[in-house]
Amino acid sequence: MLTKTLESPTPLPAAWADTALTVVMPTYNEAGNLPRMTETLMALGEELPGLSLLVVDDSSPDGTGDLAESLAERYNTGRTRMRVLHRTEKDGLGRAYAAGMTRAVENGAAYVLQMDADGSHPAGKIAELLGVALSTGAGVVVGSRYVPGGSLSDTWGAHRKLLSRWANTYASAILGTRVRDITGGFNLWRADTLRAIDLASVGSAGYSFQVEMKYAALRRGFGVMEVPIHFEDRTVGESKMNFAVQLESMAMPWKLRAAARGRR
């Protein structure tokens, strides 16, 4: 695993900027965040003309799905820049991502970016992640909080920061990887990496999806690069992390290691 650090982003060559890149953004009760996030991503159209957005909504009670449709109508002038995938129930972030990533690849995306709807992931880093992917041939590029230059929101207390670092160390130690932000959710995937992993076979329903996916890519021989990011805390809405999700995240690395040993 290699780490990539760029001091200052530079514009991508036109051929790279035109790359078909789909941002997959799961939503559940994110009506307070989605308009701002959509506007931010659509504003990248000049820098990244190949970028589009796929919102995956799990029947949000606050009307996020309907809001996403109205935003798509606003921005889909001349060409399709935004789509909405409606799911009938809330059954986990991981499954929402898997559904969206599968749809994105089916629609012709060469690269797929995972991005949360709460504003924690920096849209200004998307071009850099894509540039690193294209220049290195990496199967996945991680927007990393824990490589040199990466950082966490100042609103995070010491306990929360320690817990996050511990979770990364815990998962990487069990699985024997050198990925410093294996739990991070701001990840750019090459389409053929996703096809090789076979998203339908991924078992994680919650946040452990991030760990399982990176481990699956490494097991299949794909390169992983890490680019430093600043991770912000959400300012609108509530976190979807609960105790059941935390338990799954603790158990998943052991399940993955046991499965890997069983295949040897």
Side-chain angles (χ1 to χ4, degrees):
M1 190 276 299
L2 300 175
T3 297
K4 178 74 174 180
T5 303
L6 296 182
E7 295 299 327
S8 58
T10 55
L12 295 180
W16 287 9
D18 282 333
T19 301
L21 163 62
T22 299
V23 177
V24 173
M25 184 177 288
T27 56
Y28 186 78
N29 287 349
E30 295 288 0
N33 286 310
L34 187 61
R36 173 174 56 90
M37 293 302 301
T38 302
E39 181 180 5
T40 298
L41 289 169
M42 294 297 100
L44 296 175
E46 187 171 334
E47 181 183 11
L48 295 169
L51 182 145
S52 63
L53 171 62
L54 173 61
V55 173
V56 183
D57 187 68
D58 283 2
S59 296
S60 297
D62 73 345
T64 302
D66 292 337
L67 175 61
E69 290 287 0
S70 66
L71 288 167
E73 287 183 15
R74 180 192 308 175
Y75 288 107
N76 288 342
T77 55
R79 65 185 181 90
T80 302
R81 304 181 65 199
M82 181 176 177
R83 294 183 173 91
V84 185
L85 174 59
H86 296 277
R87 302 199 321 142
T88 58
E89 61 180 346
K90 182 177 184 290
D91 66 345
L93 178 70
R95 295 196 176 105
Y97 264 128
M101 295 161 87
T102 298
R103 178 68 59 87
V105 172
E106 290 173 349
N107 286 340
Y111 285 87
V112 178
L113 177 73
Q114 296 175 254
M115 190 172 186
D116 289 348
D118 61 9
S120 57
H121 297 148
K125 280 281 189 173
I126 295 176
E128 184 176 340
L129 266 61
L130 180 60
V132 170
L134 289 165
S135 62
T136 65
V140 56
V141 180
V142 178
S144 179
R145 301 163 289 181
Y146 299 124
V147 293
S151 59
L152 290 167
S153 170
D154 292 337
T155 63
W156 279 35
H159 175 74
R160 189 177 177 189
K161 289 179 179 179
L162 182 63
L163 182 62
S164 178
R165 284 189 176 274
W166 177 84
N168 271 284
T169 302
Y170 170 84
S172 290
I174 292 170
L175 297 174
T177 81
R178 296 173 60 192
V179 181
R180 297 193 188 185
D181 200 351
I182 196 167
T183 66
F186 189 46
N187 308 302
L188 179 72
W189 298 86
R190 214 169 65 206
D192 63 333
T193 307
L194 297 177
R195 293 188 191 98
I197 290 173
D198 182 14
L199 288 158
S201 70
V202 177
S204 298
Y207 287 83
S208 60
F209 177 82
Q210 318 296 3
V211 175
E212 184 174 357
M213 287 288 290
K214 295 183 187 74
Y215 185 61
L218 289 167
R219 291 278 301 173
R220 288 160 176 79
F222 291 99
V224 178
M225 300 286 285
E226 296 191 75
V227 170
I229 65 164
H230 176 70
F231 183 89
E232 277 293 350
D233 202 4
R234 71 159 58 235
T235 57
V236 178
E238 298 180 354
S239 171
K240 309 305 187 295
M241 178 73 75
N242 56 39
F243 185 64
V245 169
Q246 292 174 7
L247 286 178
E248 183 195 42
S249 297
M250 290 183 66
M252 185 56 66
W254 293 105
K255 292 180 180 179
L256 294 173
R257 189 168 87 163
R261 286 182 172 178
R263 288 192 292 267
R264 289 176 184 170

